[in-house]
Amino acid sequence: MSTLPRRVVVLGTGGTIAGSSDDASANVGYTAGTVPVVALLHHVTPPAHITLVTEQVAQLDSKDMDVATWQRLHARCVQWLSEPDVAAVIITHGTDTIEETAFFLRAALHAAKPVVLTCAMRPATSRAPDGPQNLRDALAVALHVEARGVLVVAAGEIHGAADVRKVHPYRVNAFASGDAGALGYVEEGQVRLVRNWPPAAPLLALTAEAIARPAHAWPRVEIVVSHAGTGGGLIELLIRERQDSRTGAADGLVLAATGNGTLHHAIERLAERAHAAGMDVVVTTRCADGPMVGVTSSSYFRSSPYSPVKARVALLLRLLALQK
Ligand code: ASP
């Protein structure tokens, strides 16, 4: 590892890692996004030649994550990563939508240096908080000489942005990468890699101007789940809004299909109509692990290898790139 003086930038966005409660025994029922990012680093000691720089980009509960915060995060990452003495960017984030923000950055950012998102399941005021260790692990990953790409580090595991999902609402090791598995582990401050680092290149070619477009001008993409007993009423509503040329009518529709891409017959029929009404339709599986097998795109939908929420981000950005 180089011993030249270097900086690691920590961007705070809120979440449980920055959460607080009057009751130190409370690991639920706290308020997310209250402790400033600079205070989260009190328990993190960087190596002597590393300086930590903090920036509070947002302070929210990530259930409320929004386009404006994504835009700010993207712009700050681009700026900091371009500084020659900046080794990496760490982002503190809520667990609820960390996989969506990570995927957004994976799709839109060139990350030749690591961009490491981390989080916590217990608030900063907890008697046994997980945030400080996650931050130390995130720093170990950020300083790994070969690290690159957008990563999520939590509970000693390193996940790639394309595969990671929150799989548990309470326990500390709340994340998994399905069939792909974790990229590696952080053990006693050492990184043990079991898969390759993800590519640095973004998934999509998006201009800075496109990403900076006002949030209200971004395309609208909805997710509809195919389930037993559905009548497809939500899709009918979306089609009607388009046919009435309603402002803000949906531009894209992600269908979370059952099993290997199967759709309830009511949804299948309406998906074709949605496409005919001008919506981009994407089909993915609602199953937690593994992509669909042999489900190719058709005349009215494209198949996606991502989870429904990530397929939505991918479609959103694809439509944004195409927007005039
Ligand atoms: N609701 C919180 C958030 O996503 C949950 C967490 O961070 O664990 O911000």
Side-chain angles (χ1 to χ4, degrees):
M1 196 182 297
S2 158
T3 51
L4 290 173
R6 302 191 83 188
R7 292 185 291 171
V8 171
V9 178
V10 186
L11 305 177
T13 69
T16 294
I17 192 168
S20 60
S21 165
D22 293 338
D23 177 2
S25 64
N27 288 325
V28 293
Y30 52 84
T31 308
T34 58
V35 180
V37 63
V38 68
L40 302 182
L41 297 175
H42 288 162
H43 306 286
V44 179
T45 312
H49 63 289
I50 297 293
T51 306
L52 299 179
V53 177
T54 61
E55 214 176 85
Q56 195 75 50
V57 171
Q59 188 61 297
L60 45 73
D61 185 321
S62 84
K63 71 180 176 57
D64 300 324
M65 187 48 66
D66 51 29
V67 166
T69 306
W70 279 357
Q71 289 172 317
R72 275 201 301 281
L73 262 184
H74 184 271
R76 298 316 293 144
C77 285
V78 169
Q79 169 63 39
W80 283 116
L81 293 174
S82 73
E83 304 277 339
D85 71 325
V86 167
V89 170
I90 293 174
I91 300 171
T92 58
H93 199 288
T95 59
D96 286 345
T97 58
I98 195 169
E99 69 207 63
E100 292 173 64
T101 299
F103 188 80
F104 160 69
L105 293 173
R106 166 77 189 89
L109 189 70
H110 189 89
K113 298 173 187 174
V115 174
V116 187
L117 289 93
T118 194
C119 53
M121 291 297 285
R122 295 177 182 164
T125 50
S126 166
R127 221 165 259 143
D130 51 332
Q133 187 59 49
N134 286 346
L135 267 167
R136 285 189 282 268
D137 290 348
L139 183 60
V141 173
L143 292 176
H144 190 280
V145 272
E146 284 161 11
R148 57 156 198 258
V150 181
L151 308 156
V152 172
V153 170
E157 297 175 347
I158 309 164
H159 296 276
D163 295 308
V164 69
R165 292 170 85 140
K166 186 173 182 182
V167 294
H168 202 282
Y170 177 74
R171 69 180 185 219
V172 169
N173 56 334
F175 293 91
S177 284
D179 288 351
L183 294 175
Y185 303 91
V186 188
E187 296 155 342
E188 299 295 313
Q190 298 300 311
V191 172
R192 178 167 63 90
L193 210 62
V194 293
R195 293 167 55 206
N196 281 337
W197 298 108
L203 290 171
L204 292 165
L206 272 154
T207 60
E209 295 71 45
I211 294 172
R213 241 166 246 153
H216 66 80
W218 277 41
R220 175 177 159 207
V221 178
E222 296 290 345
I223 302 174
V224 171
V225 180
S226 185
H227 58 83
T230 185
L234 284 174
I235 305 179
E236 270 173 355
L237 197 70
L238 296 175
I239 294 171
R240 215 171 308 133
E241 283 185 3
R242 269 201 86 87
Q243 287 170 339
D244 295 349
S245 303
R246 195 88 56 84
T247 314
D251 307 285
L253 174 64
V254 172
L255 297 173
T258 38
N260 196 37
T262 49
L263 295 168
H264 189 287
H265 63 80
I267 288 202
E268 204 164 5
R269 183 176 48 80
L270 286 162
E272 259 190 278
R273 279 186 46 209
H275 173 78
M279 273 181 257
D280 260 57
V281 181
V282 164
V283 173
T284 186
T285 180
R286 65 179 213 184
C287 292
D289 292 341
M292 301 178 296
V293 175
V295 180
T296 47
S297 303
S298 80
S299 56
Y300 67 94
F301 72 78
R302 269 174 303 107
S303 74
S304 169
Y306 302 117
S307 69
V309 289
K310 288 182 192 171
R312 178 185 168 276
V313 176
L315 179 54
L316 182 66
L317 295 180
R318 212 179 77 83
L319 293 170
L320 186 67
L322 293 172
Q323 222 174 38
K324 301 259 163 36

